[in-house]
Amino acid sequence: QLLGDVVDLDAESSYVVEYNNCVNYMKGAIESSDRVNTVSPTYSREIMRPEYGRELDPLLRERAFKVCGIVNGIDTEVYNPETDAALAANYTAANVAEGKAACRADICELFGLENDDAPIVGMVSRLVDHKGFDIVRQVGESLINSGMKICLLGTGDPEFEEYFRWLTEAYPGRCGVKIAFKPDLAHKIYAGAD
């Protein structure tokens, strides 16, 4: 069967999605785009290597002029503790104490954490290896045993979801987890965690 019959493209245009005698829409996207954006400058370089390129690394190296990475980061306007309406209290960099304490008490209540002086490690993420949760799983108990608390919001790989459920059961009051996607709750964690 001709490639053009599969993707309904004429012979001149089918090169856009053809890769190793197969249809590859990612290849088509790379060919057709003005820019190829990744989650970081480091990852934009990594995908040009065979171990991360999913067999598209030669094409990505040829099109390196259009590949860029933008560092992930928090939107400081949306997640501004001075103006964020989702918070228990607002605060500024110049006057943190009262507002931060109210936000901390709020997440402690919402996540079933003891509200003492122990630092709270807040995490809002997809629970997957490439976000570092394989590492977090290796050190989770050590963090808690060193005196910290964990406050986590996210969904992802079942193995990580199950691990964090277990951690919450094993360390009540020290680990609080919501396996969910709740943007308003993310605001609270960012404002209340250490």
Side-chain angles (χ1 to χ4, degrees):
Q1 190 169 8
L2 295 173
L3 183 64
D5 295 337
V6 175
V7 293
D8 194 28
L9 292 173
D10 60 38
E12 272 183 33
S13 302
S14 63
Y15 82 90
V16 174
V17 294
E18 189 277 323
Y19 199 69
N20 295 334
N21 294 320
C22 295
V23 175
N24 187 314
Y25 291 111
M26 182 61 77
K27 189 258 186 181
I30 293 166
E31 288 282 11
S32 303
S33 66
D34 294 325
R35 291 266 184 226
V36 176
N37 182 30
T38 69
V39 298
S40 73
T42 301
Y43 189 62
S44 72
R45 291 185 300 273
E46 287 175 345
I47 63 173
M48 292 189 215
R49 299 193 328 237
E51 59 269 27
Y52 295 106
R54 303 280 183 168
E55 299 182 12
L56 291 171
D57 50 287
L59 175 69
L60 288 162
R61 284 191 300 275
E62 290 172 11
R63 306 291 185 272
F65 65 91
K66 64 166 81 175
V67 179
C68 63
I70 298 174
V71 176
N72 283 339
I74 197 162
D75 184 329
T76 57
E77 290 182 25
V78 173
Y79 296 97
N80 182 346
E82 189 173 354
T83 59
D84 192 338
L87 305 183
N90 295 110
Y91 58 90
T92 68
N95 188 10
V96 174
E98 276 185 45
K100 182 76 170 182
C103 291
R104 178 188 177 88
D106 190 32
I107 64 169
C108 285
E109 183 178 332
L110 291 167
F111 283 84
L113 299 172
E114 299 163 2
N115 192 4
D116 54 24
D117 292 336
I120 299 174
V121 176
M123 294 178 265
V124 178
S125 182
R126 281 185 304 116
L127 308 178
V128 292
D129 275 341
H130 69 269
K131 296 284 187 178
F133 283 96
D134 54 331
I135 298 167
V136 174
R137 183 175 49 197
Q138 291 174 18
V139 300
E141 287 184 89
S142 296
L143 287 174
I144 293 169
N145 289 328
S146 73
M148 296 184 195
K149 292 190 207 92
I150 294 175
C151 178
L152 177 131
L153 172 66
T155 62
D157 290 348
E159 66 182 281
F160 294 125
E161 291 182 2
E162 187 56 37
Y163 168 73
F164 284 107
R165 284 187 188 104
W166 172 83
L167 199 62
T168 299
E169 290 174 15
Y171 295 93
R174 308 296 297 165
C175 181
V177 172
K178 305 273 185 197
I179 304 298
F181 175 77
K182 296 184 177 185
D184 282 353
L185 197 49
H187 287 248
K188 293 174 180 290
I189 293 169
Y190 292 140
D194 298 298

